[in-house]
Amino acid sequence: MRPSPSLVAPRFLRTHDAAAFLGLSGRTLEKHRCTGTGPVFRKLGGRVVYAIEDLEAWAAERARNSTSDPGQPLSRYTVQSRPAPSRGR
């Protein structure tokens, strides 16, 4: 027998709830989505949702020991330079 839907913990959160989970505003998460610097998200139909484990991982990647600690470079968010276009001679 399946548990009642009200007893199952949510796996995905909508933007407002994900922002509250992280202690941010919904608008901040929207900006991160546009710039590609936020947590991984999914589009289910027309809705944007965040997996709780992705929110936790994103927050954990930003752990610092002091305000002067730059942290490790975030490989997922690192902009890679493109090689210069070659010109035919």
Side-chain angles (χ1 to χ4, degrees):
M1 189 164 156
R2 294 180 125 186
S4 168
S6 62
L7 299 178
V8 177
R11 247 181 95 193
F12 298 101
L13 300 175
R14 305 266 317 258
T15 301
H16 176 76
D17 296 322
F21 180 83
L22 293 170
L24 303 172
S25 73
R27 184 69 183 121
T28 297
L29 267 187
E30 290 170 2
K31 288 179 183 179
H32 278 299
R33 240 185 358 249
C34 290
T35 60
T37 57
V40 174
F41 66 93
R42 291 160 176 80
K43 294 273 299 210
L44 302 178
R47 298 179 181 183
V48 172
V49 294
Y50 296 86
I52 292 173
E53 56 269 12
D54 291 335
L55 297 172
E56 291 171 338
W58 183 77
E61 287 175 352
R62 281 148 183 77
R64 303 291 185 267
N65 290 322
S66 73
T67 56
S68 61
D69 181 1
Q72 297 295 322
L74 303 175
S75 59
R76 178 172 170 243
Y77 306 103
T78 303
V79 177
Q80 297 182 4
S81 60
R82 296 182 181 180
S86 61
R87 294 188 174 168
R89 293 187 179 208

